Amino acid sequence: MSEQTPSTQEREVDVVVIGGGSTGENVADRAHRGGLGEVVVVEDELVGGECSYWACMPSKALLRPTAALAAARRVPGAAAAATGEVDVQAVLERRTSFTSGWDDSSQVEWVEGAGLELLRGRARLDGERRVVVTGADGGTTALVARQAVVVAVGSTPKAPPIDGLDGVRCWTSREATSSRSVPPRLLVLGAGVVGSELATAYRRLGSDVTLVAGSAVLSAFEPRAGELVADALREEGVEVVMGPRASSVERDGDEGEVRLTLDDGRVLVGDELLVATGRGPQTGDLGLETVGLEPGQALDIDAAGQVRGVDGRWLYAAGDVTGLAPLTHMGKYAARAVGDVVAARARGEADGEPAPWSKHATTALHRAVTQVVFTDPEVASVGLTAQQARDVGLDVRVVELDIAVAGSSLQADGYTGWACMVVDESRSVVVGVTFVGQDVAELCQSAAVVVAGEVPLDRLWHAVPPYPTISEVWLRLLEAYGL
């Protein structure tokens, strides 16, 4: 019997969305609801993407039980009831429940129920409007998009240039959020959001954790925020190494202990090494060269998500692949704008680049990014840091104070928190806000409304915070400003 040759098909559709994570799902759904009937989502891993299975949901599921326990122990009366130890196995099982056991059946059901077509396989651009998808059997399907191709493939971990690292088994965020056990000793390389959150989670689940932080913890945020988180990590028992950089790494076999050598000569020893030194756009094998773009680079987009440097108004991108605000909720926000504008342009509408803050614009990617770091204390931020505001030439005034209001004292004994408001003096509007403290995540949306709405300070004065809540910090910030 002769061996069968993998099949090849070719057909036209309205829209091809490359990437079936949360961003791609939202692009496809909005385009379809906007009137485009044939929308194909291409995915080669789990439908639902990084957030659902290896990032946002499982990491927060690992963090939440111990955060609840710590919060109870800060309130006399409740503290007396919170005397036991955390049930590690129950935490891991609950984490797994949020990933559906790494089974994407329910996500596939949603895609199909929304009227979209799912095509499994690896997609590559192959010239104008053309996407070639290679399935597991080696067969290929060529899709030609009548309206648009949207790239939403997300990002991938970046490994730093450390001697020996490429030959050593180590954890990325995927292994850290999906582990079935807690290592006795965990080394964490990188103190950004991923490194800081997972150092918190694993320390509270029983690991001896060493965090190699480089120059700072949470260096992308206001400096004081990183300092407070670093202090809290040390109080939890995390060894925070500041200054020295990793120079080499080695491991005894595949399962033996891992040794991380720093440039000051120190050797750190652990059972697992989590490399959390950032992520980059996943465009290396996407076929960008076939449309005149450079592989491996972020896709430069205009306000509507259209990729610059490609003629014909057919190539769009959203989410981490653009290098802008690599956060699930910001990717979904961009996806809604892109899906809507693709559908509108198919109807002959929405010509030209959209005006800032209009329906088809992604203005918040540059001016009102929201983010919460679920360490303890939490860090909630919106918009620009003080330095970012200065860097873009704004006339900046910074107001900062400790969070010490009636609501915070009720929330926890010994509450430690901090707030920072960045004001553009030329317009008398807030362009950035940062809160640090227990449960400040829920202050993030009020700050988003203030920043995105460009609410004048004299009007913001009339947004009266209810008493006694932590939101009263808004009143204290305005008073400190001089209102």
Side-chain angles (χ1 to χ4, degrees), residues 272-303:
E272 297 291 353
L273 169 64
L274 166 59
V275 179
T277 50
R279 299 177 67 87
Q282 195 165 229
T283 61
D285 189 32
L286 193 60
L288 293 183
E289 68 279 3
T290 70
V291 295
L293 299 176
E294 185 177 352
Q297 299 301 304
L299 296 178
D300 182 25
I301 58 171
D302 68 10

